[in-house]
Amino acid sequence: MTLEELQALVSRGPYLQWLGLKVLALEEDSIEVSATWREEWVASTRLMQTHGGILASLIDFAADFALVRRIGHGVPTIDLRVDYHRLAKPGDLIAKGRVIKHGRQFSVCEAQVLQDGKLIASGRGTYITAPPQP
């Protein structure tokens, strides 16, 4: 799958469109995307912080789609862990995902969300990679 083909796949999903995802890099076992900041992401107007659910979504997306060159599409998440390291302020975010273990039934991937080069959140997911049953 090329970068352009993946961007077309990502652009078909309404939620991924809303996140403003742009694929920056795609390797055999990794992906890097940017997410365009939206005012609706603000969880606290006093702190002007981005909601943790947005960060978790980016972790899940980047980890899941790190598998896309091997599988050709996104796959179901069966477990996700997210660690929050600092507040994300208004501004675009970068999510980087990579495959840790690609298996016939399940795969494990990890991801990081960065803002201005600083680690905002990180996480790890387990994904079903078994082929669909007939």
Side-chain angles (χ1 to χ4, degrees):
M1 179 174 289
T2 68
L3 197 78
E4 294 77 21
E5 290 169 333
L6 179 55
Q7 185 64 59
L9 178 66
V10 169
S11 296
R12 286 196 311 233
Y15 183 65
L16 301 180
Q17 283 179 20
W18 183 80
L19 285 174
L21 296 183
K22 295 196 177 40
V23 182
L24 303 175
L26 179 63
E27 301 296 331
E28 183 64 29
D29 287 327
S30 65
I31 188 171
E32 182 175 339
V33 298
S34 66
T36 305
W37 187 82
R38 301 174 62 98
E39 189 173 346
E40 297 93 341
W41 292 3
V42 174
S44 165
T45 54
R46 184 177 62 81
L47 296 174
M48 288 305 291
Q49 76 187 59
T50 297
H51 192 282
I54 298 296
L55 303 176
S57 291
L58 293 173
I59 293 287
D60 189 30
F61 172 83
D64 186 336
F65 275 71
L67 291 161
V68 78
R69 273 249 167 106
R70 292 177 180 251
I71 298 171
H73 53 82
V75 293
T77 305
I78 59 172
D79 186 53
L80 183 67
R81 168 170 175 112
V82 177
D83 294 311
Y84 300 98
H85 305 290
R86 61 174 36 97
L87 296 180
K89 297 296 188 173
D92 294 351
L93 300 169
I94 299 292
K96 297 179 180 184
R98 74 180 187 97
V99 177
I100 301 296
K101 163 89 171 67
H102 180 247
R104 290 183 303 159
Q105 299 293 317
F106 306 103
S107 293
V108 177
C109 304
E110 67 182 12
Q112 298 179 329
V113 175
L114 302 112
Q115 188 174 49
D116 299 326
K118 295 178 182 169
L119 181 64
I120 301 298
S122 62
R124 181 175 285 212
T126 305
Y127 302 89
I128 297 175
T129 49
Q133 298 298 316

